[in-house]
Amino acid sequence: MAENLKACSVCCKSSWHQLQDLCRLEKVCCPGLGITRRNLCDFEVEYLCDYKRVREEEYYLVKWRGYPDSENTWEPRKNLHCVNILKQFHWDLEQALLRRGEKFRKTLRWLDQGLASSLVQKAKQRRSLRRWEEELNAKRNHKGRIVVENEVDLEGPPRDFVYINEYKVGDGITLNQVAVGCECRDCLSHTVGGCCPGASHHKFAYNELGQVKIRAGLPIYECNSRCRCGGECPNRVVQKGIRYDLCIFRTGNGRGWGVRTLEKIRKNSFVMEYVGEIITSEEAERRGQIYDRQGATYLFDLDYVEDVYTVDAAYYGNISHFVNHSCDPNLQVYNVFIDNLDERLPRIAFFATRPIRVGEELTFDYNMQVDPVDAESTRMDSNFGLAGGLGGSPKKRARIECKCGTESCRKYLF
């Protein structure tokens, strides 16, 4: 973020802590940053690099925030007041020893080079994931907070991924804004002309708690920017964005990143949208061939009425980019229309199929099937595949083994 202070103007993307570190490194006082003569020489622990026991006293090799590795120093435990960093170091140490089939012993005198190196790698990974988490939360425009965790391996933030909150429209595609809105005073109880859903000859989608009450396959028409109702209108749900705190976490069974909820989610509640770059089907075919060679694709066909456009969330996306497949999912897809009524360009919303407990992973069926008897429902059937070892474009795809682990697993994704 850029910081504008009375004494200076900094044109950069440095964080507040980074600017403070720079002041201490250059020995410059800056009241605007809270750096005074009194705390100019204060040192902050960034992470711990090594451990040893001399006689009965514990020592830690400290990486100081804002200083190069050459300035690392061994410090006795009594000099360190970073309780959380010490706890994290010992947790990482115990986990590293367990992976080697050993246990932490109080008689441990020093760490071998390989073990110390792995702890430094883990500390650096945590630092990069923490920065990525801060970046994601700075970019989100929704209420729900994003947490990032990886207790499985040393994988850091994904490269070439930009967090966005709404569709990014590709070349040659236009989103046509609606020309009219509803005149309702109370869209749920005192509707005029059936409100926005009725004007489009469809049913009102939500109950008074904002839970979806129509079956999967039927479209949702929410009130738009031209409607007279306010922001608390019960027909404004998806447009309010993600309301739950969610965690991007590293899975332990080879499925890459996943998403779990940090809050209880009620059945039929809106959870998130699938967001990415809208491209033509022709461009999707071209990109799909590239993704084939990479063994990954994030293409979602918008085939509600005809297969003309596709959402590509490989580079631009939101937290849905990390949601994994399951043959017994807890999320269901609905087509939603708000400010754009072009049926070729619906917004893709995920709703909970059942109550979801705290800590449960969020999943949906990449090869979802809606009631085939309902002609309207079959328009939702999407050719879809995400990264994590999935090969093939939406049109041509190899047989992919499923790793969801549910009792109803089909063994293969496609």
Side-chain angles (χ1 to χ4, degrees):
M1 64 179 176
E3 299 292 347
N4 292 312
L5 309 172
K6 292 181 180 180
C8 58
S9 179
V10 180
C11 298
C12 64
K13 294 184 178 180
S14 298
S15 69
W16 189 267
H17 281 300
Q18 288 170 330
L19 292 172
Q20 288 179 324
D21 293 340
L22 183 61
C23 287
R24 287 194 170 99
L25 193 61
E26 298 296 329
K27 294 182 171 52
V28 174
C29 294
C30 182
L33 287 168
I35 304 299
T36 64
R37 289 185 178 181
R38 177 174 294 182
N39 63 21
L40 180 62
C41 294
D42 285 357
F43 298 98
E44 184 178 352
V45 176
E46 186 167 359
Y47 55 84
L48 303 176
C49 307
D50 205 344
Y51 170 89
K52 66 181 179 181
R53 182 185 291 269
V54 179
R55 297 182 179 88
E56 294 305 315
E57 190 164 16
E58 293 178 302
Y59 286 82
Y60 299 83
L61 184 59
V62 178
K63 166 66 171 69
W64 300 104
R65 184 181 298 277
Y67 291 85
D69 292 346
S70 59
E71 299 293 327
N72 292 358
T73 60
W74 284 96
E75 300 291 335
R77 183 162 188 156
K78 63 184 179 183
N79 287 1
L80 302 178
H81 305 287
C82 48
V83 177
N84 291 334
I85 293 178
L86 283 164
K87 285 182 178 179
Q88 189 67 70
F89 177 83
H90 278 276
W91 164 262
D92 290 339
L93 175 57
E94 290 176 14
Q95 295 303 306
L97 288 170
L98 284 174
R99 286 192 291 270
R100 292 167 51 159
E102 304 175 28
K103 290 185 178 181
F104 180 80
R105 308 181 308 275
K106 290 186 177 180
T107 56
L108 184 67
R109 291 294 175 182
W110 64 81
L111 309 182
D112 61 64
Q113 186 175 357
L115 188 56
S117 176
S118 69
L119 291 173
V120 171
Q121 285 182 279
K122 191 64 181 178
K124 289 182 177 179
Q125 179 212 42
R126 289 189 187 282
R127 180 181 60 182
S128 62
L129 290 178
R130 193 179 309 115
R131 288 176 179 172
W132 184 45
E133 179 183 296
E134 292 172 355
E135 178 185 323
L136 293 176
N137 282 290
K139 289 183 177 180
R140 67 175 168 88
N141 66 0
H142 48 78
K143 176 184 176 182
R145 184 173 55 94
I146 300 173
V147 174
V148 178
E149 292 180 359
N150 184 356
E151 299 297 339
V152 174
D153 54 31
L154 294 174
E155 187 72 17
R159 299 177 180 178
D160 300 325
F161 175 72
V162 177
Y163 196 91
I164 59 175
N165 295 285
E166 56 189 23
Y167 280 156
K168 177 180 173 59
V169 181
D171 296 335
I173 300 173
T174 303
L175 295 180
N176 297 314
Q177 297 295 306
V178 294
V180 296
C182 72
E183 299 289 330
C184 311
R185 285 186 294 178
D186 184 336
C187 294
L188 184 62
S189 304
H190 302 95
T191 62
V192 176
C195 193
C196 294
S200 298
H201 306 290
H202 289 93
K203 297 179 180 178
F204 200 95
Y206 305 119
N207 63 17
E208 64 277 4
L209 298 177
Q211 297 163 294
V212 67
K213 62 181 183 180
I214 60 175
R215 70 178 182 277
L218 294 177
I220 295 174
Y221 285 83
E222 291 195 1
C223 291
N224 58 67
S225 57
R226 294 180 180 269
C227 295
R228 297 189 66 180
C229 56
E232 298 305 312
C233 170
N235 196 36
R236 298 179 186 269
V237 175
V238 172
Q239 62 193 265
K240 290 183 178 179
I242 299 169
R243 314 293 287 178
Y244 300 99
D245 291 346
L246 304 175
C247 176
I248 300 172
F249 73 103
R250 193 72 175 171
T251 63
N253 59 353
R255 293 179 299 126
W257 295 100
V259 177
R260 60 175 168 235
T261 178
L262 300 178
E263 299 182 60
K264 181 179 178 180
I265 300 176
R266 295 177 301 181
K267 180 180 179 180
N268 297 327
S269 296
F270 169 67
V271 180
M272 69 179 73
E273 276 190 78
Y274 189 80
V275 172
E277 181 183 7
I278 301 178
I279 57 177
T280 63
S281 295
E282 292 76 13
E283 175 64 11
E285 280 293 321
R286 186 190 71 80
R287 295 187 186 186
Q289 294 176 10
I290 298 173
Y291 296 155
D292 285 349
R293 294 192 290 271
Q294 298 173 344
T297 180
Y298 290 80
L299 300 175
F300 194 127
D301 289 345
L302 299 178
D303 55 359
Y304 175 61
V305 291
E306 55 180 315
D307 191 0
V308 178
Y309 301 115
T310 297
V311 178
D312 182 3
Y315 183 73
Y316 296 101
N318 67 353
I319 198 168
S320 65
H321 171 102
F322 303 97
V323 175
N324 280 314
H325 161 85
S326 175
C327 296
D328 183 21
N330 50 26
L331 299 179
Q332 173 65 52
V333 172
Y334 280 80
N335 289 298
V336 182
F337 301 92
I338 306 175
D339 281 310
N340 171 61
L341 299 185
D342 186 342
E343 292 190 333
R344 301 171 303 170
L345 289 167
R347 290 166 66 164
I348 305 301
F350 294 151
F351 286 80
T353 60
R354 54 177 171 76
I356 305 176
R357 65 184 182 276
V358 175
E360 186 176 347
E361 182 175 359
L362 302 175
T363 59
F364 73 102
D365 191 341
Y366 290 0
N367 194 27
M368 58 191 165
Q369 297 294 323
V370 192
D371 184 4
V373 178
D374 188 335
E376 188 168 29
S377 295
T378 59
R379 296 171 183 169
M380 281 189 62
D381 294 352
S382 299
N383 298 306
F384 190 73
L386 291 183
L390 304 192
S393 71
K395 307 305 179 188
K396 300 176 182 178
R397 158 180 305 124
R399 198 161 171 79
I400 305 299
E401 182 181 357
C402 180
K403 298 180 180 179
C404 74
T406 62
E407 292 183 2
S408 58
C409 181
R410 301 188 295 266
K411 306 305 179 184
Y412 294 94
L413 290 183
F414 306 103

